[in-house]
């Protein structure tokens, strides 16, 4: 199985799949590590493209935004609920990914 070239991959949808999809998968299966696998796989694929299309600094900013969103959603969920928190961090991560990487096409 061959992966698409990193420069041909849209990263905003990957961040949505990783954050929102990982949460949904963990919640619906009851297997939290399974959601973590999806989160990690999407993060690695997005990171591969961030590095191919941008520079190491931008890649680091996007990686911190993605992983920080995962951590931040747990804290934010205490105030606004789980799904709204996941929605907020997912939109923020996808928007950053689009603006700093995907929109360069």
């Amino acid at each position: 199985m061959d992966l698409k070239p990193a420069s041909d991959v849209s990263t905003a949808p990957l961040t949505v799949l990783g954050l929102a999809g990982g949460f949904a998968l963990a919640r619906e299966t009851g297997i939290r590590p399974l959601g973590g696998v999806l989160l990690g796989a999407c993060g690695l694929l997005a990171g591969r493209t961030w590095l191919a299309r941008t520079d190491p600094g931008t890649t680091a900013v996007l990686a911190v935004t993605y992983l920080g969103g995962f951590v931040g959603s747990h804290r934010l969920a205490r105030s606004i609920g789980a799904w709204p928190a996941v929605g907020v961090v997912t939109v923020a991560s996808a928007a950053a990914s689009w603006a700093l990487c995907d929109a360069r096409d």
Side-chain angles (χ1 to χ4, degrees), residues 18 34-46 66-67:
L34 191 56
V37 168
L38 183 58
L39 175 80
C42 289
L44 287 172
L45 287 173
Y66 181 72
L67 293 174

Side-chain angles (χ1 to χ4, degrees), residues 11-99:
T11 61
L14 282 174
T15 63
V16 171
L17 179 61
L19 290 165
F23 176 70
L25 184 61
R27 187 171 182 126
E28 295 305 315
T29 63
I31 306 170
R32 291 176 61 147
L34 191 56
V37 168
L38 183 58
L39 175 80
C42 289
L44 287 172
L45 287 173
R48 172 180 167 256
T49 296
W50 296 331
L51 193 55
R53 284 195 192 162
T54 67
D55 55 77
T58 303
T59 298
V61 166
L62 290 169
V64 167
T65 302
Y66 181 72
L67 293 174
F70 169 70
V71 173
S73 68
H74 288 82
R75 298 190 68 110
L76 188 58
R78 295 179 189 146
S79 302
I80 64 173
W83 271 114
V86 170
V88 167
V89 301
T90 298
V91 167
S93 183
S97 192
W98 180 84

